[in-house]
Amino acid sequence: MHGLMMDTPLVISSILRHAERNYGGREIVSVTADNPRHRYRYSDLCRRTRQLANALDKCALARGDRVATLAWNDYRHLEAYYAIGGAGYVCHTINPRLFAEQIVFIINHAADRILLTDPLFLPLLEKIAGKIGCIERYVVLTDDSHMPATTLKNAMSYESFIGSESESYEWPALDEKDAVALCYTSGTTGDPKGVLYNHRSTVLHAYAGIAPDVLNLSNRDCVLPVVPLFHVNAWGIPYSALMVGAKLVFPGPKMGDGETLYALMEGEDVTLSLGVPTVWMALLQYTEKAGKRLNKLQRTVIGGAAVPESMIRAFRDRHGVVVHQGWGMTEMSPLGTLNSLKAGMQEWPADDILRLQTKAGRGIYGVELRIVDDEQNELPWDGKAYGALQVRGPWICSDYFKLDGSAGAHTADGWFDTGDVATIDPDGFLAITDRTKDVIKSGGEWISSIQVENIAMGHPGVREAAVIGVPHAKWTERPLLVVVAAEGAKLDRDQMLAWFDGKIARWWLPDDVVFVDSIPHTATGKVKKIDLRRQFANYTLPTSPADF
Ligand code: ADP
């Protein structure tokens, strides 16, 4: 027997309607290419989103057609999110930091028809225009007075594209399983793969994100997503924030600039900010150098890569800011776990809490987790057993766009294989040991590169550190530590290795240390280990500590 409840579809236009009715006066502040501080209100966002939906409808698109964005975090990009998806098209957010060939690949693979672009990316697009014939029209996210000259065909400014459109629009009654957005993984190996979200998964994920033990998002918050709108839906913030009516602050092209981030956080009373570890390095360095303290920020959610203990400590001790680590993936919309304390843990000694915070966190309701061994046997949640991490839930991809099951990412019983290796402790806290392909195999045992990196990053003379496995005749692989020294720090190999004394098992100790000026990063700001491994493929290691 079915229950007797309304079958109201979970579609993103319902979030917009709710936001307009309840929080019309809430502010959205943006840095854009054409304005250092643009301010408007939710009511303006909703009005202009309807204008954009009207303009898109005139472009003879069919339901489900892809409209791409190549843009930083700002209000026009947010309008695009809601107008494209709400009107029944698919918003394909492209990461501008990808290599040009990858951008060409994903535009063609997605068969995008319209591209909304930040003016800063026109030179890039002009170079590749001949290879992306599927794009019929370019809409440049600016007004006519700031519109640069361009050789792109059918290019017009965003403001003239929407300017004469009606402010009223009837959002179509979509099926909640209709696709709403498309995001490609950055493809550190092989071609990028497309993850196609639907309205239902997006709304459910946004609901989950609000919860107190997840982002703890409320109307009283002011949120600054440093995580880009092109990186897995900015972790759901565009949807979660509008559900509760939080004030939004967008840093535009200045997301990597510590000084701008600091000014926005202080000036706009930002309470919550989110991003990958590398951006926080820039902010912490700026505040350190300038002798400034974050007075308004209460908490940061950091994810996308392991968060070093030193970073959590710096936020806590110098700024009184709580770090919540999160773990997720493009394939998971992305939220999977979030680190927040369980009952009683508030009483723990401060350093025990700190250690706990270096874990990826607890599973969010809606995401089931399991770790398995090579034979697919489930492993215990004892904090020690490590294995392949698999997940299941309504906002986790069931396949990749146009790959029809060929990626082999799902198990026979329908779980998604994350490609991560993890432990889960009896309290349900997940710790990512490594990505399967980054794990260092030494004499049949595994060394967690993340744990070794975490210790290295705790050294005050270290700015950034990465550990990779280097081929070794006897042990298969041994760890090599690659270090970028902090400005002015004098650090040598022996000092660096001495830092590990008593902190890890002797056979985990890196065989050698190399100092470099910079470490390569992926388009989403993570250490690009594949490049480091290539760079040091022929590195000759000295005698291994594992030999003793
Ligand atoms: P990419 O950056 O490769 O485009 P994602 O953003 O989807 O793709 O990256 C997901 C991966 O990032 C995870 O599978 C995991 O390896 C890594 N990751 C995310 N959060 C964490 C974390 N808190 N600790 C360690 N690794 C993490």
Side-chain angles (χ1 to χ4, degrees), residues 184-188 231-232 302-307 325-331 360 418-420 432 434-435 450 522 524 526:
Y184 282 73
T185 61
S186 42
T188 33
H231 188 197
V232 215
I302 312 184
V307 186
Q325 180 160 183
W327 165 84
M329 309 179 72
T330 306
E331 288 87 339
T418 64
D420 284 334
I432 303 290
D434 251 315
R435 281 194 175 195
I450 290 182
T522 67
T524 48
K526 306 178 192 187

Side-chain angles (χ1 to χ4, degrees), residues 326-481:
W327 165 84
M329 309 179 72
T330 306
E331 288 87 339
M332 300 173 62
S333 302
L335 297 177
T337 65
L338 205 106
N339 195 319
S340 53
L341 301 182
K342 280 177 124 174
M345 289 178 171
Q346 310 93 295
E347 319 302 333
W348 285 13
D351 280 354
D352 289 358
I353 293 182
L354 193 82
R355 259 189 300 282
L356 183 76
Q357 287 172 316
T358 62
K359 296 193 172 189
R362 297 186 275 128
I364 297 168
Y365 170 74
V367 178
E368 278 182 87
L369 308 169
R370 74 178 183 193
I371 41 174
V372 299
D373 65 15
D374 289 347
E375 280 75 47
Q376 290 295 305
N377 301 311
E378 225 184 308
L379 294 167
W381 290 22
D382 60 7
K384 291 186 196 87
Y386 54 84
L389 176 60
Q390 300 178 344
V391 291
R392 183 165 79 168
W395 57 81
I396 292 159
C397 73
S398 58
D399 198 358
Y400 292 100
F401 189 42
K402 296 182 184 168
L403 287 192
D404 299 324
S406 62
H410 291 79
T411 64
D413 59 347
W415 290 64
F416 173 72
D417 208 328
T418 64
D420 284 334
V421 179
T423 61
I424 305 178
D425 72 18
D427 280 311
F429 283 75
L430 175 84
I432 303 290
T433 318
D434 251 315
R435 281 194 175 195
T436 318
K437 53 188 181 294
D438 293 339
V439 114
I440 300 166
K441 296 172 197 84
S442 174
E445 300 279 351
W446 286 5
I447 296 175
S448 158
S449 64
I450 290 182
Q451 280 184 45
V452 181
E453 282 158 8
N454 203 341
I455 294 168
M457 300 269 267
H459 191 294
V462 172
R463 184 186 160 160
E464 197 172 12
V467 177
I468 50 165
V470 172
H472 189 283
K474 178 169 172 196
W475 298 106
T476 316
E477 275 182 341
R478 288 294 304 156
L480 173 69
L481 174 62

Side-chain angles (χ1 to χ4, degrees), residues 83-126:
I84 297 168
Y89 313 118
V90 175
C91 181
H92 171 204
T93 49
I94 303 173
N95 183 342
R97 297 197 190 107
L98 292 172
F99 289 122
E101 311 86 77
Q102 286 178 314
I103 294 180
V104 168
F105 172 87
I106 65 175
I107 288 176
N108 284 308
H109 190 268
D112 297 323
R113 293 188 56 191
I114 299 178
L115 176 58
L116 276 58
T117 177
D118 196 284
L120 299 166
F121 304 126
L122 287 178
L124 163 75
L125 288 170
E126 284 166 358

Side-chain angles (χ1 to χ4, degrees), residues 38 42 87 95 131 160 193 233 264 271 337 344 414 420 441 484:
H38 175 275
Y42 270 39
N95 183 342
K131 298 181 191 161
S160 60
K193 296 195 274 295
N233 315 307
L264 287 171
T271 54
T337 65
D420 284 334
K441 296 172 197 84
V484 181

